[in-house]
Amino acid sequence: MADPIDLFDPAAWMFVSDGVMGGISEGDLSAVDAEGSLTLRLTGVVRTENNGGFIQMRRTLEVALPSNTSALRLTVRGNGERYFVHLRTPARQRPWHYYRAPFDTGSDWREVTLPLMDFRPSRPEMPATFAAPDVQVIGLAAIGRAHRADLWLAAIDAV
């Protein structure tokens, strides 16, 4: 396993919603002190009207992940909803092209490990797999159905 690479840097993350394509989901990304540690909190309402349906916290990687990276490890909590990690690579031709893997949340902090080989393309025209160094953008998304989002991120590492 590769040495962990910390991808948390709160200043590197930004909020994105389906408003970039006409949707009406609303939300916010904030840095919050949780029990003495800085965390990121994604909150909002995902709405599917107007071809919408997502809110996301996203960051661009300044340095490529090492080729021996096998997984992403997150420390998260939330409101019991299922969320997704999205990875964007040069294979992305359209905004809706990404690789995704789901994870579930609960009210207690939990560590979630998502092997890169478990990420699936969002569209059939995309290549089935990708290499870790090709990952350019990482996002954590509330997507695909109308619901309230409340996702906390305390750590994310490439391992």
Coordinates of all heavy atoms in Angstrom, one line a residue, residues 83-131:
Y83 N -23.9 9.0 -0.3 CA -23.2 10.0 -1.1 C -22.2 9.3 -2.0 O -22.1 8.1 -2.0 CB -22.4 11.0 -0.1 CG -23.4 11.7 0.7 CD1 -23.7 11.3 2.0 CD2 -24.0 12.9 0.3 CE1 -24.6 12.0 2.8 CE2 -24.9 13.6 1.1 CZ -25.2 13.2 2.3 OH -26.1 13.8 3.1
F84 N -21.6 10.1 -2.9 CA -20.7 9.5 -3.9 C -19.4 10.3 -4.0 O -19.4 11.5 -3.8 CB -21.3 9.6 -5.3 CG -22.5 8.7 -5.4 CD1 -23.8 9.1 -5.0 CD2 -22.4 7.4 -5.9 CE1 -24.9 8.3 -5.1 CE2 -23.5 6.6 -6.0 CZ -24.8 7.0 -5.6
V85 N -18.3 9.6 -4.2 CA -17.1 10.3 -4.6 C -17.0 10.2 -6.1 O -17.2 9.2 -6.7 CB -15.8 9.6 -4.0 CG1 -14.5 10.1 -4.5 CG2 -15.9 9.7 -2.5
H86 N -16.7 11.4 -6.7 CA -16.5 11.5 -8.2 C -15.1 11.8 -8.5 O -14.5 12.7 -7.8 CB -17.4 12.6 -8.7 CG -18.9 12.3 -8.7 ND1 -19.8 13.2 -9.1 CD2 -19.6 11.3 -8.3 CE1 -21.0 12.7 -9.0 NE2 -20.9 11.5 -8.5
L87 N -14.5 11.1 -9.4 CA -13.2 11.4 -9.9 C -13.2 11.8 -11.4 O -13.8 11.1 -12.2 CB -12.3 10.1 -9.7 CG -12.2 9.5 -8.3 CD1 -11.4 8.3 -8.3 CD2 -11.7 10.5 -7.3
R88 N -12.6 12.9 -11.7 CA -12.5 13.3 -13.1 C -11.1 13.1 -13.6 O -10.1 13.4 -12.9 CB -12.9 14.8 -13.2 CG -14.3 15.0 -12.9 CD -14.7 16.5 -12.9 NE -16.1 16.7 -12.6 CZ -17.0 16.8 -13.5 NH1 -16.8 16.7 -14.7 NH2 -18.3 17.0 -13.1
T89 N -11.0 12.6 -14.8 CA -9.8 12.3 -15.5 C -9.8 13.0 -16.9 O -10.8 13.5 -17.3 CB -9.6 10.8 -15.7 OG1 -10.5 10.3 -16.7 CG2 -9.8 10.1 -14.4
P90 N -8.7 12.9 -17.7 CA -8.7 13.4 -19.0 C -9.7 12.7 -19.9 O -10.1 13.3 -21.0 CB -7.3 13.2 -19.5 CG -6.5 13.1 -18.3 CD -7.3 12.5 -17.3
A91 N -10.3 11.6 -19.5 CA -11.3 10.9 -20.3 C -12.6 11.7 -20.3 O -13.5 11.4 -21.1 CB -11.6 9.5 -19.8
R92 N -12.7 12.7 -19.5 CA -13.9 13.5 -19.4 C -14.1 14.4 -20.6 O -13.3 15.4 -20.8 CB -13.9 14.4 -18.1 CG -15.0 15.3 -17.9 CD -14.9 16.1 -16.6 NE -13.8 16.9 -16.6 CZ -13.8 18.2 -16.9 NH1 -14.8 18.8 -17.4 NH2 -12.7 18.9 -16.8
Q93 N -15.1 14.2 -21.4 CA -15.4 15.0 -22.6 C -16.5 16.0 -22.2 O -16.6 17.0 -22.9 CB -15.8 14.1 -23.7 CG -14.7 13.1 -24.2 CD -13.5 13.8 -24.7 OE1 -13.6 14.8 -25.5 NE2 -12.3 13.4 -24.3
R94 N -17.4 15.6 -21.3 CA -18.5 16.4 -20.9 C -18.6 16.6 -19.4 O -18.0 15.8 -18.7 CB -19.8 15.7 -21.4 CG -19.9 15.4 -22.9 CD -20.3 16.7 -23.6 NE -20.5 16.4 -25.0 CZ -19.7 17.0 -26.0 NH1 -18.7 17.7 -25.6 NH2 -19.9 16.7 -27.2
P95 N -19.3 17.6 -18.9 CA -19.4 17.8 -17.4 C -20.0 16.6 -16.7 O -19.7 16.4 -15.5 CB -20.4 19.0 -17.3 CG -20.2 19.7 -18.6 CD -20.0 18.6 -19.6
W96 N -20.8 15.7 -17.3 CA -21.4 14.6 -16.7 C -20.5 13.3 -16.8 O -21.0 12.2 -16.6 CB -22.8 14.3 -17.2 CG -22.8 14.3 -18.7 CD1 -22.6 13.3 -19.6 CD2 -23.1 15.5 -19.6 NE1 -22.7 13.7 -20.9 CE2 -23.1 15.0 -20.9 CE3 -23.4 16.8 -19.3 CZ2 -23.3 15.9 -22.0 CZ3 -23.7 17.6 -20.4 CH2 -23.6 17.1 -21.7
H97 N -19.3 13.5 -17.3 CA -18.3 12.3 -17.3 C -17.4 12.3 -16.1 O -16.7 13.3 -15.9 CB -17.4 12.5 -18.6 CG -18.1 12.2 -19.9 ND1 -17.6 12.4 -21.1 CD2 -19.4 11.7 -20.1 CE1 -18.4 12.1 -22.0 NE2 -19.5 11.6 -21.5
Y98 N -17.5 11.3 -15.4 CA -16.7 11.1 -14.2 C -16.7 9.6 -13.8 O -17.5 8.8 -14.3 CB -17.1 12.0 -13.0 CG -18.6 11.9 -12.7 CD1 -19.2 10.9 -11.9 CD2 -19.5 12.8 -13.3 CE1 -20.5 10.8 -11.7 CE2 -20.9 12.7 -13.1 CZ -21.4 11.7 -12.3 OH -22.7 11.6 -12.1
Y99 N -15.9 9.2 -12.9 CA -15.9 7.9 -12.3 C -16.5 8.0 -10.9 O -16.2 9.0 -10.2 CB -14.5 7.3 -12.2 CG -14.0 7.0 -13.6 CD1 -13.3 8.0 -14.3 CD2 -14.2 5.8 -14.2 CE1 -12.8 7.7 -15.6 CE2 -13.8 5.5 -15.5 CZ -13.1 6.5 -16.2 OH -12.7 6.3 -17.5
R100 N -17.3 7.1 -10.4 CA -18.0 7.3 -9.2 C -18.0 6.0 -8.3 O -18.0 4.9 -8.8 CB -19.4 7.7 -9.4 CG -20.2 6.6 -10.1 CD -21.6 7.1 -10.4 NE -22.3 6.1 -11.3 CZ -23.2 6.3 -12.1 NH1 -23.7 7.5 -12.2 NH2 -23.7 5.4 -12.8
A101 N -18.1 6.2 -7.0 CA -18.2 5.1 -6.0 C -19.1 5.7 -4.9 O -18.9 6.8 -4.4 CB -16.9 4.7 -5.5
P102 N -20.0 4.9 -4.4 CA -20.9 5.3 -3.3 C -20.3 5.0 -1.9 O -19.5 4.1 -1.8 CB -22.1 4.5 -3.5 CG -21.6 3.2 -4.1 CD -20.4 3.6 -4.9
F103 N -20.8 5.8 -1.0 CA -20.5 5.5 0.4 C -21.7 5.9 1.2 O -22.5 6.9 0.9 CB -19.2 6.1 0.9 CG -19.2 7.6 0.9 CD1 -19.5 8.3 2.1 CD2 -18.9 8.3 -0.2 CE1 -19.5 9.7 2.1 CE2 -18.8 9.7 -0.2 CZ -19.1 10.4 0.9
D104 N -22.0 5.3 2.4 CA -23.1 5.6 3.2 C -22.6 6.3 4.5 O -21.4 6.2 4.9 CB -23.8 4.3 3.6 CG -24.5 3.7 2.4 OD1 -25.1 4.4 1.6 OD2 -24.3 2.4 2.3
T105 N -23.5 7.1 5.1 CA -23.1 7.9 6.3 C -24.1 7.5 7.4 O -25.1 7.0 7.2 CB -23.2 9.4 6.0 OG1 -24.5 9.7 5.7 CG2 -22.2 9.8 4.9
G106 N -23.6 7.9 8.6 CA -24.5 7.8 9.8 C -24.1 9.0 10.7 O -23.2 9.8 10.3
S107 N -24.7 9.1 11.8 CA -24.4 10.2 12.7 C -23.1 10.2 13.4 O -22.6 11.2 13.9 CB -25.5 10.3 13.8 OG -25.6 9.1 14.5
D108 N -22.4 9.0 13.4 CA -21.1 8.9 14.0 C -20.0 8.9 12.9 O -20.3 8.5 11.8 CB -21.0 7.5 14.8 CG -21.9 7.5 16.0 OD1 -22.1 8.5 16.6 OD2 -22.3 6.3 16.3
W109 N -18.8 9.4 13.3 CA -17.7 9.4 12.3 C -17.4 8.0 11.9 O -17.4 7.1 12.8 CB -16.5 10.0 13.0 CG -16.6 11.5 13.1 CD1 -16.8 12.2 14.3 CD2 -16.6 12.5 12.1 NE1 -16.9 13.5 14.1 CE2 -16.8 13.8 12.7 CE3 -16.4 12.5 10.7 CZ2 -16.8 15.0 12.0 CZ3 -16.4 13.7 10.0 CH2 -16.6 14.9 10.7
R110 N -17.1 7.8 10.7 CA -16.7 6.4 10.2 C -15.6 6.6 9.1 O -15.6 7.6 8.4 CB -17.9 5.7 9.6 CG -18.5 6.3 8.4 CD -19.7 5.4 7.9 NE -20.8 5.4 8.9 CZ -21.9 4.9 8.7 NH1 -22.2 4.2 7.6 NH2 -22.9 4.9 9.6
E111 N -14.7 5.6 9.1 CA -13.7 5.6 8.0 C -14.2 4.7 6.9 O -14.7 3.6 7.1 CB -12.4 5.0 8.6 CG -11.3 5.2 7.6 CD -10.0 4.7 8.3 OE1 -9.4 5.5 9.0 OE2 -9.5 3.6 8.0
V112 N -14.1 5.3 5.7 CA -14.6 4.6 4.5 C -13.4 4.4 3.5 O -12.8 5.4 3.3 CB -15.7 5.3 3.8 CG1 -16.2 4.7 2.5 CG2 -16.9 5.5 4.7
T113 N -13.2 3.2 3.1 CA -12.1 3.0 2.1 C -12.8 2.6 0.8 O -13.5 1.7 0.7 CB -11.1 1.9 2.6 OG1 -10.5 2.4 3.8 CG2 -10.0 1.7 1.5
L114 N -12.4 3.4 -0.3 CA -13.0 3.1 -1.6 C -11.9 2.7 -2.6 O -11.1 3.6 -3.0 CB -13.7 4.4 -2.1 CG -14.9 4.9 -1.2 CD1 -15.3 6.2 -1.8 CD2 -16.0 3.9 -1.2
P115 N -11.7 1.4 -2.9 CA -10.7 1.0 -3.8 C -10.9 1.7 -5.2 O -12.1 1.7 -5.6 CB -10.9 -0.5 -3.9 CG -11.6 -0.9 -2.6 CD -12.5 0.3 -2.3
L116 N -9.9 2.1 -5.8 CA -10.0 2.8 -7.1 C -10.6 1.8 -8.1 O -11.4 2.3 -9.0 CB -8.7 3.3 -7.6 CG -8.1 4.5 -6.8 CD1 -6.8 4.9 -7.5 CD2 -9.0 5.6 -6.5
M117 N -10.4 0.5 -8.0 CA -10.9 -0.4 -9.0 C -12.5 -0.6 -8.8 O -13.1 -1.1 -9.7 CB -10.3 -1.8 -8.8 CG -10.5 -2.5 -7.5 SD -9.5 -3.9 -7.5 CE -10.5 -5.0 -6.5
D118 N -13.1 0.0 -7.7 CA -14.5 -0.1 -7.6 C -15.2 1.1 -8.2 O -16.5 1.2 -8.2 CB -14.9 -0.2 -6.1 CG -14.5 -1.5 -5.5 OD1 -14.2 -2.4 -6.2 OD2 -14.6 -1.6 -4.2
F119 N -14.5 2.1 -8.7 CA -15.1 3.3 -9.3 C -15.6 2.9 -10.7 O -14.9 2.2 -11.4 CB -14.1 4.5 -9.4 CG -14.0 5.2 -8.1 CD1 -13.2 4.7 -7.0 CD2 -14.6 6.4 -7.9 CE1 -13.1 5.3 -5.8 CE2 -14.4 7.1 -6.7 CZ -13.7 6.6 -5.7
R120 N -16.8 3.4 -11.0 CA -17.4 3.0 -12.3 C -17.7 4.3 -13.1 O -18.0 5.4 -12.5 CB -18.8 2.3 -12.1 CG -18.7 1.0 -11.3 CD -18.0 0.0 -12.2 NE -17.7 -1.2 -11.4 CZ -16.5 -1.7 -11.1 NH1 -15.5 -1.0 -11.5 NH2 -16.4 -2.8 -10.5
P121 N -17.5 4.2 -14.4 CA -17.8 5.4 -15.3 C -19.2 5.8 -15.2 O -20.1 5.0 -15.1 CB -17.4 4.9 -16.7 CG -17.4 3.5 -16.6 CD -17.2 3.0 -15.2
S122 N -19.5 7.1 -15.3 CA -20.8 7.6 -15.2 C -21.6 7.4 -16.6 O -22.8 7.5 -16.6 CB -20.8 9.1 -14.9 OG -20.1 9.8 -15.9
R123 N -20.9 7.2 -17.6 CA -21.5 7.0 -18.9 C -20.8 5.9 -19.7 O -19.6 5.7 -19.6 CB -21.4 8.3 -19.8 CG -22.0 9.5 -19.2 CD -23.5 9.4 -19.4 NE -24.1 10.7 -19.0 CZ -25.2 10.9 -18.3 NH1 -25.9 9.9 -17.9 NH2 -25.6 12.1 -18.0
P124 N -21.6 5.1 -20.5 CA -21.0 4.0 -21.2 C -19.9 4.3 -22.2 O -19.1 3.5 -22.5 CB -22.2 3.3 -21.8 CG -23.3 4.3 -21.8 CD -23.0 5.3 -20.7
E125 N -19.9 5.5 -22.7 CA -18.9 5.9 -23.7 C -17.5 6.2 -23.2 O -16.6 6.4 -23.9 CB -19.4 7.1 -24.6 CG -19.6 8.4 -23.8 CD -21.0 8.6 -23.2 OE1 -21.7 7.7 -23.1 OE2 -21.2 9.8 -22.9
M126 N -17.4 6.2 -21.8 CA -16.2 6.4 -21.2 C -15.4 5.1 -21.1 O -15.9 4.0 -21.0 CB -16.4 7.0 -19.8 CG -17.0 8.3 -19.7 SD -17.3 8.9 -18.0 CE -15.7 8.9 -17.4
P127 N -14.0 5.2 -21.0 CA -13.2 4.0 -20.7 C -13.7 3.4 -19.4 O -14.1 4.1 -18.5 CB -11.8 4.5 -20.6 CG -11.8 5.9 -21.3 CD -13.2 6.4 -21.1
A128 N -13.6 2.1 -19.3 CA -14.1 1.4 -18.1 C -13.2 1.6 -16.9 O -13.6 1.5 -15.8 CB -14.2 -0.1 -18.4
T129 N -11.9 1.9 -17.1 CA -10.9 2.0 -16.0 C -10.1 3.3 -16.2 O -10.1 3.9 -17.3 CB -10.0 0.8 -15.9 OG1 -9.2 0.7 -17.1 CG2 -10.8 -0.5 -15.6
F130 N -9.3 3.6 -15.2 CA -8.4 4.8 -15.3 C -7.2 4.5 -14.4 O -7.2 3.6 -13.6 CB -9.2 6.0 -14.8 CG -9.6 5.9 -13.3 CD1 -8.8 6.4 -12.3 CD2 -10.8 5.4 -13.0 CE1 -9.2 6.3 -11.0 CE2 -11.2 5.3 -11.7 CZ -10.4 5.7 -10.7
A131 N -6.2 5.2 -14.6 CA -5.0 5.1 -13.8 C -5.0 6.2 -12.7 O -5.4 7.3 -13.0 CB -3.7 5.2 -14.6

